Amino acid sequence: NDLFKVKVVTEEGVELESCEMSFDDEVCDMLLYPIVLNKGDDIFINISAPQSSNIVSTLTHVSGQMQTLYLALGENVIKAPQTPGIYIVNTRFPNGETKSIKFMVK
């Protein structure tokens, strides 16, 4: 919870400071597997984020169809769509990071 800033002193003696900011010490990440699967197979999505996080993702087909996914921390299991094609899971984490992973349904 520390706040950090940068302070610079020019050759003329003028002091310049940046705005204060903090850094989140926990990494947010998403792992999805398998990336090639059959209709109705299980898809495993593993979410790593700070404990207080609520993760909302979208499952998007290349045709533009979109579905909201509510994911918990740790391993989530969802069923693969019944329509073959390329899909993208887009996730925006509370710290502002985003991650997108593609998978294919045969």
Side-chain angles (χ1 to χ4, degrees):
N1 291 337
D2 290 334
L3 294 174
F4 297 91
K5 62 182 174 181
V6 175
K7 183 177 181 180
V8 177
V9 180
T10 66
E11 289 179 359
E12 293 80 24
V14 177
E15 292 184 7
L16 305 169
E17 290 186 8
S18 68
C19 296
E20 292 182 340
M21 68 182 303
S22 62
F23 296 95
D24 189 0
D25 62 347
E26 289 197 46
V27 174
C28 296
D29 201 11
M30 176 176 64
L31 173 67
L32 182 148
Y33 60 93
I35 58 169
V36 177
L37 47 124
N38 295 311
K39 298 183 277 187
D41 283 354
D42 286 342
I43 302 171
F44 299 91
I45 303 173
N46 195 323
I47 299 290
S48 300
Q51 290 296 338
S52 61
S53 299
N54 294 318
I55 308 298
V56 179
S57 298
T58 56
L59 173 63
T60 307
H61 185 269
V62 292
S63 69
Q65 297 171 335
M66 191 178 299
Q67 173 187 347
T68 301
L69 300 175
Y70 297 96
L71 303 173
L73 296 177
E75 190 166 81
N76 298 267
V77 181
I78 63 171
K79 293 290 181 190
Q82 294 297 316
T83 304
I86 304 293
Y87 291 82
I88 303 170
V89 175
N90 296 300
T91 301
R92 183 173 178 86
F93 294 99
N95 66 358
E97 289 182 54
T98 58
K99 183 146 188 182
S100 300
I101 299 179
K102 293 180 191 176
F103 67 92
M104 183 176 79
V105 176
K106 301 191 275 182

